Amino acid sequence: MDAVAVGVVRIAAAHMAQAVRGVTVERGVDPRGAAVVAFGGAGPVFGCLLADELDVDTVVVPPNAGNFSAVGLVQADIVRSAARTMVRPLDDEALPLVERVTETLFERLAQPGAVREVDLDLRHRGQEHTLTIPVRLGEDDPAAVSARFSEAYHRAFGHTLPDPLEIVTVRATSRVVLDADRPMVPAPPSGEGGRGTTRLWSFRRGAWTEAPVVRREDLDGVAEGPLLVVEPTATTYVDAGFAVEAHESGCLMITRKDRP
């Protein structure tokens, strides 16, 4: 039964890693230079496994990991957006036309004091897929927009093309920026439970081990795995070969100490 359970968890981690590769490696981004942000009720359980699957050295567990989306929603900027399809070449006449279209879109959005942002969905003529590129109306010319697109295209696909560009969609975003210095919502206290040790499977060691169970608010300094960090909304699994410490931001920082 142990082998079956381990296999199920490893298959789940492999599927998660493949999804990450779909938005990194397949778009020209090397995930080894990034960090895994583990959130959701079960996300922190898989953080170390994903780090090994992706050869990533750092895992970040935010406060309130199990309620991460809800907490983010109440702290996010107030954003409204609208879009209009406008398939035409990116030429000297395009940007004045885009400006007129965005004025109409911003009238619909109507957020006093909001920051206005304009993006264009662009593609090479004859292609199906687009990239969304920010545009500074009144400052950019078609050459500047094309250069920005070429940079994004090279970053995503590893090459550039000489083919002319065309606009597909005009996007207007109205953003009311909230206080940028607001602190993160702290993790709630864990109560009386969550101390002592537990029998824990180490994927790195391939064996059961007796491991500490630490409440998140009790974590002091660097603690080396295997161990569990518990809190009301999530459980963080730290495998052997990783260490965890509390960051001043309130996040848990898990770092690799050795490779399997």
Side-chain angles (χ1 to χ4, degrees):
M1 290 299 294
D2 288 351
V4 172
V6 169
V8 168
V9 173
R10 287 203 176 278
I11 289 171
H15 279 293
M16 295 179 195
Q18 187 57 37
V20 173
R21 294 187 185 101
V23 296
T24 55
V25 175
E26 294 177 14
R27 298 184 181 182
V29 178
D30 188 347
R32 292 175 296 181
V36 172
V37 180
F39 60 91
V45 172
F46 285 90
C48 290
L49 281 82
L50 276 174
D52 276 342
E53 287 278 349
L54 297 167
D55 200 18
V56 170
D57 291 333
T58 305
V59 179
V60 181
V61 181
N64 298 286
N67 297 328
F68 185 72
S69 296
V71 172
L73 180 64
V74 299
Q75 290 195 301
D77 295 338
I78 301 172
V79 175
R80 300 183 66 191
S81 60
R84 179 173 295 176
T85 300
M86 189 179 75
V87 181
R88 59 153 296 127
L90 178 64
D91 53 23
D92 291 337
E93 299 176 359
L95 294 184
L97 180 58
V98 167
E99 189 165 5
R100 291 195 293 272
V101 170
T102 55
E103 284 301 322
T104 302
L105 294 176
F106 283 125
E107 287 176 5
R108 289 169 47 192
L109 298 175
Q111 288 200 107
V115 176
R116 293 184 171 190
E117 301 170 1
V118 177
D119 299 280
L120 297 178
D121 289 358
L122 297 169
R123 66 186 179 192
H124 287 294
R125 190 169 59 195
Q127 290 192 330
E128 177 183 0
H129 300 291
T130 64
L131 292 176
T132 302
I133 304 299
V135 176
R136 298 183 293 265
L137 294 177
E139 300 179 29
D140 287 336
D141 57 16
V145 177
S146 296
R148 203 170 297 136
F149 175 88
S150 295
E151 181 181 349
Y153 194 92
H154 185 274
R155 187 167 58 248
F157 303 110
H159 65 276
T160 57
L161 296 174
D163 302 331
L165 301 182
E166 64 181 5
I167 300 170
V168 177
T169 307
V170 179
R171 301 187 181 276
T173 301
S174 174
R175 182 185 304 275
V176 176
V177 180
L178 300 182
D179 182 9
D181 296 324
R182 60 192 181 279
M184 298 180 71
V185 176
S190 302
E192 293 301 317
R195 291 190 179 95
T197 61
T198 189
R199 188 166 176 260
L200 182 69
W201 179 267
S202 170
F203 287 86
R204 283 288 197 85
R205 295 174 179 173
W208 290 99
T209 183
E210 196 72 16
V213 178
V214 183
R215 300 191 310 179
R216 183 168 184 149
E217 65 266 29
D218 293 339
L219 194 61
D220 184 21
V222 178
E224 296 193 0
L227 62 89
L228 292 181
V229 181
V230 296
E231 57 183 296
T233 66
T235 298
T236 299
Y237 168 75
V238 183
D239 202 355
F242 290 89
V244 60
E245 63 180 324
H247 189 265
E248 61 183 11
S249 66
C251 296
L252 297 181
M253 304 296 294
I254 303 173
T255 52
R256 182 193 301 278
K257 296 303 177 183
D258 61 57
R259 298 191 178 278

